[in-house]
Amino acid sequence: MFGEKFKRKYALTDRGVHNTKMGMLWTVIVNLLMMVGMGLLYFMMQSFIGTLTHNDPLPNAWLYIGLTVLFVILSLFVHIGQYRATYGLVYREIKDTRIGLAERLRKLPLGYFGKRDLADLTETIMCDVNRLEHVWSHCLGYLYGSYISTAVIAVMLAIYDWRLMIACLWGVPVALLLLFGSRKLAKKQSEISKKAAVTVSDGIQETFENIREIRAANQEQRYLDGLNQKIDAHEKTLLKGELSTGIFVNAASVIMRLGVATTILTGASLILSGQINFMVFFLFLLVITRVYAPFDQSLALIAEMFMSQVSANRLMEIYDTPTAEGADTFTPDGHDIVFENVGFAYDNEQVLKGVSFTAKEGEVTAFVGPSGSGKSTCARLCARLWDITEGSIKVGGVDINTIDPETLLTDYSMVFQDVVLFDDTVMENIRLGKHGATNEEVRVAAKAANCDEFVEKLPQGYDTPIGENGAKLSGGERQRISIARALLKNAPIVLLDEATASLDVENETKVQGALSTLLQNKTVLVIAHRMRTVQAANQIIVLKDGKVAESGKPEDLLQQNGEFAKMVRLQQQSAGWTVA
């Protein structure tokens, strides 16, 4: 019952399966104990009727009072046990599930996040886990426990009279078959609702991220109307899903409760024909007041259990994605970066083909080429943000595919054109470069990155909150904080992705000064679009169509009059200046 298929079906861990078994066990105990209570009432009534009809001795009242008190105490105990085994254990596990999911995401290669919609991923982490948690705690233990307890009760009732047992319980399997028959419809509707929810999340995220552009183009109303349409569409899918599910759930509940009528009719018929006595009939009347109760909650949630399988599949997709694994120690002989016939495909599209070069320690190696030629891809591959599909990349003679990415990245500093800052103080944003760095170490790195100039003007200096993604700072100030992070980390390898492309001349000069401090005696890889920014590089790699078109020193490439020289001339002409 609880094999690997069951675990995958509901995205359960081994601990989750154990919790389900415990919830099921306690549910069986609770349901059977409730039947014991019905049996106690039956024997009390039988004793009183014997006294009235046959002048039997009066039953011992204290005995029945004692049994009733014992029943109440046992009932309280087993209900507490059931609550702990279903809700308590699951609520403790849900924290571990989220942490485990976060750990899994942390180890996935960056390429995975490039393929997944971030709103969709957020929907999985938050909403899908919530839905599964509700199924784990409210449905699985109750439903499977009800199966077992009802089977045991059916056997016990058959001992008294198999005909009344069938009349009482025939509706249970029919109701469950009806619900399980609607499983495909529920799953399909859940997939539609999930897509609609992701569309709404995408629309909201897109609106917030592009609010300045939307306002600048006077398109607020159009975007709001579009967002309203997406929300309305999501609402309609939810209503349709609830309606279709509600029809089947209510129909199943009605069918199951028809057992009350058939029990009364069958019992009355058997009494009239003299085949049973009234007390047997009375016993079954007591049973039908309780026997359907275990399924009441499960019937309401069984449709949600079907829909949860969509959420479980989305969760298992994350767990099934291969992680980037490797050794947790990295001891290279120097920090030369060597590409040997490297190939890389993204979504079955070949991006790099047979790329080979060496970026030497203490030198600046620049990647240039047209958009889409593979410049940024090379930089990300050498830091193992993605994994290559062909060839090898070595740092100091060590193949980076054998090293855990987190361990590898301790030797890398990165400064990108698009700086990401957190809604925190200047101090904490810089401290991100080195966990546990002292305030003095942060200030030294900030000074070297020319941050002092603008930090001194802030209301609280380094303790000033800078807003979401540094909204209170200029582009140049944000870029200098990014460089300060890299300086604080002081890693032997530095990756620069057009770090000064979007800055004005004054800020570019200040950032270039900060970079000159950062790059001393490091292995430096620079991605550049403006040729004048790479004139001082030790080596230039010209990429075209995913291949190395040419490589060498800037002056040598200019003399060769190849791709690099052509790019330089084109930029000189567009800028309206020439070099003799």
Side-chain angles (χ1 to χ4, degrees):
M1 181 187 291
F2 298 103
E4 190 65 29
K5 186 177 180 180
F6 181 86
K7 287 171 59 178
R8 290 186 62 86
K9 187 176 183 179
Y10 299 109
L12 288 167
T13 61
D14 290 334
R15 182 177 174 183
V17 172
H18 171 75
N19 292 343
T20 299
K21 290 179 179 178
M22 293 301 297
M24 180 185 69
L25 175 63
W26 281 101
T27 298
V28 171
I29 293 172
V30 167
N31 292 342
L32 293 181
L33 183 62
M34 293 301 102
M35 287 296 110
V36 169
M38 297 297 102
L40 179 62
L41 183 58
Y42 166 73
F43 286 115
M44 288 174 61
M45 288 298 298
Q46 191 174 44
S47 297
F48 282 115
I49 290 176
T51 301
L52 293 174
T53 58
H54 301 96
N55 294 319
D56 291 341
L58 284 171
N60 187 339
W62 288 109
L63 173 63
Y64 284 113
I65 291 173
L67 289 174
T68 302
V69 171
L70 178 61
F71 171 77
V72 171
I73 293 172
L74 285 175
S75 179
L76 177 63
F77 171 75
V78 298
H79 274 92
I80 291 173
Q82 183 190 35
Y83 179 86
R84 288 178 175 173
T86 51
Y87 300 105
L89 291 176
V90 170
Y91 289 155
R92 284 199 298 269
E93 187 191 1
I94 199 66
K95 177 191 71 173
D96 297 335
T97 299
R98 291 190 189 278
I99 292 174
L101 189 60
E103 284 293 311
R104 184 74 183 185
L105 290 170
R106 184 171 65 89
K107 294 183 178 181
L108 292 178
L110 184 64
Y112 174 81
F113 299 96
K115 297 174 184 176
R116 286 290 299 267
D117 186 296
L118 292 183
D120 185 32
L121 199 57
T122 303
E123 186 81 9
T124 298
I125 296 171
M126 300 305 296
C127 299
D128 287 336
V129 173
N130 278 345
R131 170 170 282 180
L132 286 169
E133 173 269 320
H134 199 254
V135 170
W136 296 339
S137 61
H138 288 70
C139 195
L140 285 183
Y142 282 100
L143 184 63
Y144 284 93
S146 297
Y147 288 160
I148 296 173
S149 60
T150 302
V152 173
I153 292 168
V155 172
M156 294 170 63
L157 292 178
I159 294 173
Y160 280 86
D161 193 280
W162 64 270
R163 295 160 297 186
L164 280 175
M165 182 272 290
I166 294 174
C168 179
L169 295 177
W170 71 269
V172 174
V174 174
L176 291 175
L177 283 172
L178 176 64
L179 279 179
F180 276 90
S182 68
R183 181 169 47 188
K184 289 184 178 180
L185 176 62
K187 184 178 178 181
K188 181 180 179 180
Q189 197 60 45
S190 178
E191 290 173 347
I192 294 172
S193 297
K194 185 62 66 178
K195 289 179 181 178
V198 172
T199 300
V200 171
S201 298
D202 277 335
I204 294 172
Q205 180 178 327
E206 181 184 51
T207 301
F208 282 135
E209 287 179 348
N210 300 292
I211 189 67
R212 287 180 298 181
E213 288 77 7
I214 292 172
R215 286 187 175 180
N218 293 323
Q219 296 295 318
E220 297 100 316
Q221 193 59 48
R222 185 170 72 87
Y223 270 82
L224 285 175
D225 289 343
L227 191 56
N228 285 335
Q229 290 175 6
K230 293 173 183 176
I231 294 173
D232 288 343
H234 182 217
E235 184 179 355
K236 288 178 182 178
T237 61
L238 288 177
L239 288 173
K240 186 176 180 181
E242 291 290 339
L243 180 61
S244 59
T245 299
I247 290 173
F248 283 102
V249 169
N250 286 308
S253 181
V254 169
I255 290 172
M256 188 173 65
R257 297 287 177 179
L258 287 176
V260 175
T262 55
T263 300
I264 294 173
L265 292 173
T266 305
S269 175
L270 292 174
I271 287 177
L272 291 174
S273 63
Q275 298 183 56
I276 63 171
N277 59 43
F278 174 76
M279 288 309 299
V280 172
F281 181 44
F282 177 72
L283 171 64
F284 277 86
L285 290 179
L286 288 176
V287 167
I288 60 176
T289 64
R290 174 64 197 175
V291 72
Y292 305 125
F295 290 101
D296 285 342
Q297 182 175 358
S298 297
L299 281 179
L301 292 171
I302 198 167
E304 182 178 353
M305 188 176 76
F306 296 151
M307 291 187 289
S308 74
Q309 291 173 24
V310 176
S311 298
N313 291 339
R314 288 157 60 87
L315 229 64
M316 293 310 300
E317 181 188 347
I318 294 176
Y319 284 114
D320 290 340
T321 302
T323 57
E325 304 286 349
D328 57 3
T329 57
F330 181 47
T331 54
D333 182 14
H335 288 88
D336 287 357
I337 300 175
V338 180
F339 275 54
E340 295 180 351
N341 295 315
V342 169
F344 176 71
Y346 184 79
D347 282 344
N348 298 321
E349 180 181 349
Q350 198 71 23
V351 179
L352 296 181
K353 311 164 190 173
V355 173
S356 299
F357 65 85
T358 299
K360 295 183 179 179
E361 187 172 9
E363 294 185 356
V364 176
T365 299
F367 296 107
V368 300
S371 296
S373 59
K375 303 184 296 296
S376 296
T377 302
C378 283
R380 283 161 172 74
L381 289 175
C382 77
R384 209 189 168 189
L385 300 181
W386 293 331
D387 279 338
I388 60 176
T389 51
E390 299 173 8
S392 68
I393 301 175
K394 296 179 180 178
V395 174
V398 178
D399 190 332
I400 64 171
N401 270 26
T402 65
I403 307 299
D404 184 271
E406 288 192 8
T407 301
L408 180 70
L409 288 173
T410 58
D411 279 20
Y412 286 75
S413 290
M414 304 182 193
V415 181
F416 297 114
Q417 179 180 353
D418 297 323
V419 180
V420 177
L421 301 179
F422 293 89
D423 189 5
D424 208 332
T425 63
V426 175
M427 178 75 71
E428 293 307 317
N429 268 283
I430 296 175
R431 204 194 309 272
L432 187 67
K434 180 182 177 182
H435 179 67
T438 65
N439 289 352
E440 184 58 31
E441 287 177 315
V442 172
R443 288 191 175 93
V444 169
K447 185 176 182 180
N450 294 327
C451 292
D452 275 355
E453 175 191 348
F454 70 87
V455 172
E456 290 173 356
K457 298 176 183 178
L458 297 175
Q460 302 171 48
Y462 283 94
D463 295 322
T464 304
I466 59 175
E468 185 175 353
N469 202 22
K472 298 179 182 179
L473 303 178
S474 69
E477 291 167 348
R478 295 169 69 250
Q479 193 65 269
R480 277 179 274 173
I481 287 180
S482 177
I483 294 170
R485 281 179 184 169
L487 285 168
L488 182 62
K489 187 174 185 180
N490 194 29
I493 300 173
V494 180
L495 304 181
L496 301 175
D497 189 350
E498 201 60 64
T500 63
S502 60
L503 304 180
D504 56 50
V505 176
E506 181 180 355
N507 272 310
E508 182 178 4
T509 302
K510 293 173 181 177
V511 169
Q512 289 286 9
L515 286 174
S516 64
T517 304
L518 170 65
L519 304 182
Q520 291 178 9
N521 303 317
K522 306 288 176 63
T523 305
V524 183
L525 275 69
V526 178
I527 300 169
H529 296 92
R530 294 188 292 195
M531 298 302 103
R532 61 188 180 87
T533 63
V534 298
Q535 295 291 334
N538 301 98
Q539 178 184 206
I540 291 177
I541 308 294
V542 181
L543 293 170
K544 186 177 181 181
D545 298 328
K547 299 179 180 179
V548 177
E550 55 189 31
S551 63
K553 296 181 179 180
E555 56 271 22
D556 294 339
L557 294 182
L558 286 172
Q559 289 181 2
Q560 291 177 16
N561 200 28
E563 289 293 329
F564 179 70
K566 179 182 176 182
M567 294 172 69
V568 170
R569 286 195 300 271
L570 287 173
Q571 289 201 0
Q572 289 174 352
Q573 292 171 7
S574 63
W577 56 276
T578 57
V579 176

Short mmCIF file of all heavy atoms in Angstrom, two decimals, residues 263-287:
data_model
loop_
_atom_site.label_atom_id
_atom_site.label_comp_id
_atom_site.label_asym_id
_atom_site.label_seq_id
_atom_site.Cartn_x
_atom_site.Cartn_y
_atom_site.Cartn_z
N THR A 263 -31.41 0.24 5.14
CA THR A 263 -31.31 -0.50 6.40
C THR A 263 -32.68 -0.58 7.09
O THR A 263 -33.08 -1.65 7.58
CB THR A 263 -30.29 0.19 7.33
OG1 THR A 263 -29.02 0.22 6.71
CG2 THR A 263 -30.18 -0.58 8.65
N ILE A 264 -33.39 0.55 7.12
CA ILE A 264 -34.71 0.56 7.75
C ILE A 264 -35.68 -0.34 7.00
O ILE A 264 -36.42 -1.16 7.61
CB ILE A 264 -35.25 2.01 7.82
CG1 ILE A 264 -34.38 2.84 8.77
CG2 ILE A 264 -36.70 2.02 8.28
CD1 ILE A 264 -34.72 4.31 8.78
N LEU A 265 -35.71 -0.25 5.69
CA LEU A 265 -36.63 -1.06 4.90
C LEU A 265 -36.31 -2.55 5.02
O LEU A 265 -37.21 -3.38 5.21
CB LEU A 265 -36.56 -0.63 3.43
CG LEU A 265 -37.12 0.77 3.11
CD1 LEU A 265 -36.83 1.12 1.66
CD2 LEU A 265 -38.63 0.80 3.39
N THR A 266 -35.02 -2.89 4.92
CA THR A 266 -34.62 -4.30 5.03
C THR A 266 -34.91 -4.84 6.41
O THR A 266 -35.41 -5.96 6.59
CB THR A 266 -33.13 -4.47 4.68
OG1 THR A 266 -32.87 -3.93 3.39
CG2 THR A 266 -32.72 -5.93 4.72
N GLY A 267 -34.56 -4.04 7.45
CA GLY A 267 -34.80 -4.48 8.82
C GLY A 267 -36.27 -4.68 9.11
O GLY A 267 -36.67 -5.69 9.74
N ALA A 268 -37.10 -3.74 8.66
CA ALA A 268 -38.55 -3.87 8.89
C ALA A 268 -39.08 -5.12 8.20
O ALA A 268 -39.91 -5.88 8.76
CB ALA A 268 -39.26 -2.63 8.37
N SER A 269 -38.60 -5.37 6.99
CA SER A 269 -39.04 -6.56 6.25
C SER A 269 -38.63 -7.85 6.96
O SER A 269 -39.42 -8.79 7.06
CB SER A 269 -38.45 -6.52 4.84
OG SER A 269 -38.75 -7.71 4.13
N LEU A 270 -37.41 -7.88 7.49
CA LEU A 270 -36.92 -9.08 8.17
C LEU A 270 -37.65 -9.31 9.50
O LEU A 270 -37.89 -10.45 9.91
CB LEU A 270 -35.41 -8.98 8.40
CG LEU A 270 -34.54 -9.03 7.14
CD1 LEU A 270 -33.07 -8.76 7.48
CD2 LEU A 270 -34.67 -10.38 6.44
N ILE A 271 -38.01 -8.22 10.19
CA ILE A 271 -38.75 -8.37 11.44
C ILE A 271 -40.15 -8.91 11.17
O ILE A 271 -40.64 -9.83 11.85
CB ILE A 271 -38.83 -7.01 12.18
CG1 ILE A 271 -37.47 -6.65 12.78
CG2 ILE A 271 -39.90 -7.04 13.28
CD1 ILE A 271 -37.44 -5.31 13.47
N LEU A 272 -40.81 -8.36 10.14
CA LEU A 272 -42.15 -8.80 9.81
C LEU A 272 -42.18 -10.26 9.40
O LEU A 272 -43.17 -10.98 9.64
CB LEU A 272 -42.74 -7.93 8.69
CG LEU A 272 -43.06 -6.48 9.08
CD1 LEU A 272 -43.49 -5.67 7.86
CD2 LEU A 272 -44.16 -6.45 10.15
N SER A 273 -41.10 -10.72 8.77
CA SER A 273 -41.04 -12.13 8.35
C SER A 273 -40.52 -13.04 9.45
O SER A 273 -40.40 -14.25 9.26
CB SER A 273 -40.17 -12.27 7.10
OG SER A 273 -38.83 -11.89 7.40
N GLY A 274 -40.17 -12.43 10.60
CA GLY A 274 -39.72 -13.21 11.75
C GLY A 274 -38.30 -13.72 11.63
O GLY A 274 -37.90 -14.62 12.38
N GLN A 275 -37.51 -13.16 10.75
CA GLN A 275 -36.13 -13.67 10.55
C GLN A 275 -35.13 -13.05 11.52
O GLN A 275 -34.06 -13.60 11.74
CB GLN A 275 -35.69 -13.39 9.10
CG GLN A 275 -36.56 -14.10 8.07
CD GLN A 275 -36.06 -13.87 6.66
OE1 GLN A 275 -34.92 -14.14 6.32
NE2 GLN A 275 -36.97 -13.37 5.81
N ILE A 276 -35.45 -11.90 12.09
CA ILE A 276 -34.60 -11.28 13.12
C ILE A 276 -35.51 -10.73 14.20
O ILE A 276 -36.71 -10.52 14.00
CB ILE A 276 -33.73 -10.15 12.53
CG1 ILE A 276 -34.61 -9.00 12.00
CG2 ILE A 276 -32.77 -10.66 11.47
CD1 ILE A 276 -33.82 -7.75 11.62
N ASN A 277 -34.89 -10.47 15.37
CA ASN A 277 -35.66 -9.82 16.42
C ASN A 277 -35.39 -8.32 16.42
O ASN A 277 -34.50 -7.83 15.72
CB ASN A 277 -35.37 -10.44 17.79
CG ASN A 277 -33.88 -10.32 18.16
OD1 ASN A 277 -33.26 -9.29 17.94
ND2 ASN A 277 -33.32 -11.40 18.70
N PHE A 278 -36.14 -7.62 17.26
CA PHE A 278 -36.04 -6.16 17.25
C PHE A 278 -34.66 -5.67 17.69
O PHE A 278 -34.16 -4.66 17.17
CB PHE A 278 -37.10 -5.56 18.18
CG PHE A 278 -36.99 -4.08 18.34
CD1 PHE A 278 -37.42 -3.21 17.33
CD2 PHE A 278 -36.40 -3.52 19.48
CE1 PHE A 278 -37.28 -1.84 17.46
CE2 PHE A 278 -36.26 -2.14 19.61
CZ PHE A 278 -36.70 -1.30 18.60
N MET A 279 -34.00 -6.37 18.62
CA MET A 279 -32.72 -5.89 19.13
C MET A 279 -31.62 -5.92 18.07
O MET A 279 -30.74 -5.06 18.06
CB MET A 279 -32.29 -6.71 20.35
CG MET A 279 -33.13 -6.44 21.60
SD MET A 279 -33.26 -4.66 21.99
CE MET A 279 -31.55 -4.22 22.23
N VAL A 280 -31.67 -6.88 17.18
CA VAL A 280 -30.70 -6.89 16.06
C VAL A 280 -30.95 -5.69 15.17
O VAL A 280 -30.01 -5.00 14.74
CB VAL A 280 -30.81 -8.20 15.27
CG1 VAL A 280 -29.95 -8.14 14.01
CG2 VAL A 280 -30.41 -9.39 16.12
N PHE A 281 -32.22 -5.43 14.90
CA PHE A 281 -32.58 -4.26 14.10
C PHE A 281 -32.13 -2.98 14.80
O PHE A 281 -31.60 -2.05 14.18
CB PHE A 281 -34.09 -4.26 13.86
CG PHE A 281 -34.57 -3.10 13.01
CD1 PHE A 281 -33.89 -2.72 11.86
CD2 PHE A 281 -35.72 -2.40 13.35
CE1 PHE A 281 -34.33 -1.67 11.07
CE2 PHE A 281 -36.17 -1.35 12.56
CZ PHE A 281 -35.47 -0.98 11.42
N PHE A 282 -32.34 -2.94 16.14
CA PHE A 282 -31.93 -1.77 16.92
C PHE A 282 -30.41 -1.57 16.84
O PHE A 282 -29.92 -0.44 16.75
CB PHE A 282 -32.38 -1.94 18.37
CG PHE A 282 -31.94 -0.82 19.27
CD1 PHE A 282 -32.52 0.44 19.17
CD2 PHE A 282 -30.93 -1.03 20.22
CE1 PHE A 282 -32.10 1.48 20.00
CE2 PHE A 282 -30.52 0.01 21.04
CZ PHE A 282 -31.10 1.26 20.93
N LEU A 283 -29.66 -2.67 16.88
CA LEU A 283 -28.20 -2.58 16.78
C LEU A 283 -27.79 -1.91 15.47
O LEU A 283 -26.93 -1.02 15.45
CB LEU A 283 -27.59 -3.98 16.86
CG LEU A 283 -26.08 -4.08 16.56
CD1 LEU A 283 -25.28 -3.31 17.60
CD2 LEU A 283 -25.64 -5.54 16.51
N PHE A 284 -28.42 -2.28 14.37
CA PHE A 284 -28.05 -1.70 13.07
C PHE A 284 -28.49 -0.24 12.97
O PHE A 284 -27.85 0.56 12.31
CB PHE A 284 -28.64 -2.54 11.94
CG PHE A 284 -27.80 -3.73 11.59
CD1 PHE A 284 -27.96 -4.93 12.28
CD2 PHE A 284 -26.83 -3.67 10.60
CE1 PHE A 284 -27.19 -6.03 11.98
CE2 PHE A 284 -26.06 -4.77 10.29
CZ PHE A 284 -26.23 -5.95 10.98
N LEU A 285 -29.60 0.09 13.64
CA LEU A 285 -30.02 1.50 13.67
C LEU A 285 -28.99 2.35 14.42
O LEU A 285 -28.73 3.50 14.04
CB LEU A 285 -31.40 1.63 14.34
CG LEU A 285 -32.58 1.08 13.56
CD1 LEU A 285 -33.87 1.25 14.36
CD2 LEU A 285 -32.71 1.77 12.20
N LEU A 286 -28.42 1.79 15.49
CA LEU A 286 -27.35 2.50 16.19
C LEU A 286 -26.12 2.65 15.31
O LEU A 286 -25.48 3.70 15.27
CB LEU A 286 -26.98 1.74 17.48
CG LEU A 286 -27.97 1.78 18.64
CD1 LEU A 286 -27.48 0.90 19.78
CD2 LEU A 286 -28.14 3.22 19.13
N VAL A 287 -25.78 1.58 14.59
CA VAL A 287 -24.57 1.59 13.76
C VAL A 287 -24.64 2.65 12.67
O VAL A 287 -23.68 3.37 12.43
CB VAL A 287 -24.34 0.19 13.15
CG1 VAL A 287 -23.28 0.26 12.05
CG2 VAL A 287 -23.91 -0.78 14.23
#
